[in-house]
Amino acid sequence: MPKHQTLGRRILWTLLGLVAGLTLLFLLLKKSGATLPGIAQAIGSVPWPTYLLIMVAQSLMVLLAAIKWRIVLSETLHQQTIPLGPATSATATGALLGQLISIQVSVPIVRAWIARKHGISAHAAAGTSLFEQSLELLTLGLAALTGLVLITFGTVFATISMLVIFVVGVPALKPTLRVIARVLRQIGKLVRMGSAFTLLTDGLNQAANQSPAVLHKLMGLSLLRYILIAGLNVGLMVILLPGLDPLPLLVSFPLILLVSSVPFLPAGLGITEVTWASALFLQGIDAATAAEAAVSLRIVTIGGFLLAYPLLVLAGHKSYR
């Protein structure tokens, strides 16, 4: 396909994803009875010092993602990598653009642009970025499985199961990754979103080619990053809705995060809020309050990230100079 047609289709899918996400968000607010004053009141309930903790947590999440990408670059390009500062800056900028377009597209594009300045081809940079993101999704899947085990058998058995999967089961994941990649490719063809799903399948196939030692290291960092994300989001939700039991949310959070990783929607816009509101509704929160809390959570977390973003970019700029 000619390049201008490919670019045109990507722009079209990006616009459709943004419109679809905003439509879902509008329907959630409309059907639940949520109001803008209610959202403003919920946001106002978050103490200002909390934003400092959000900044720190968001910065650590970006830093861990940048470290993982550098490890992947080093392993796949024969020890060739880029400094941590530019890697962090590229990851932060890709995450920021991921609020408007699919993060599976925005992060590889920005990383590829930054990597070219350090002598790494755009194709290699984008491919390694997709690999790093695919392992993130795989870790989320394992966390979701652990949540189900937690509900069924209890905390001790769930913890042992997670350790066994990471220490013993990682080598067995290699054929599983290839199967998942094939399934995703077929799903992409069925929903006519082949290019978006191809990005994920390529990353999964590349993950299947890595040694168990590298997978252990990367998935350990992904797990640490997931713990930060879960702690931040569930903690903020408890602040927005005092008295809320955090344990059911911690168990269901992997599913919420997986839903937000849908390649079509920018940062899971709309569908993430619907999933959050549903989880809160199942805890007995009325529909309007649940929807207002879900929307407020996105606004507060984005606000904290915007406060941290200049510092993350500045680190990359100084390193590049």
Side-chain angles (χ1 to χ4, degrees), residues 92-151:
T93 302
L96 182 63
L97 292 177
Q99 305 302 318
L100 299 175
I101 63 176
S102 169
I103 198 167
Q104 286 84 8
V105 175
S106 62
V107 172
I109 287 176
V110 177
R111 282 177 169 177
W113 179 64
I114 294 294
R116 288 182 62 184
K117 298 181 179 181
H118 296 270
I120 297 175
S121 72
H123 179 76
T128 51
S129 180
L130 292 169
F131 169 32
E132 182 260 324
Q133 289 177 312
S134 299
L135 279 182
E136 193 92 353
L137 292 176
L138 179 61
T139 304
L140 283 179
L142 294 177
L145 178 62
T146 303
L148 294 176
V149 175
L150 176 64
I151 295 174

Side-chain angles (χ1 to χ4, degrees), residues 217-276:
K217 185 188 301 183
L218 294 173
M219 292 182 69
L221 291 172
S222 293
L223 181 60
L224 180 58
R225 189 169 181 271
Y226 164 75
I227 292 172
L228 280 171
I229 297 172
L232 174 64
N233 283 270
V234 175
L236 284 174
M237 190 58 76
V238 172
I239 293 176
L240 292 169
L241 297 172
L244 191 68
D245 185 3
L247 183 58
L249 292 181
L250 286 171
V251 172
S252 59
F253 186 72
L255 176 61
I256 296 173
L257 206 54
L258 279 174
V259 168
S260 68
S261 303
V262 173
F264 178 58
L265 299 173
L269 181 64
I271 196 169
T272 302
E273 284 71 25
V274 170
T275 310
W276 263 117

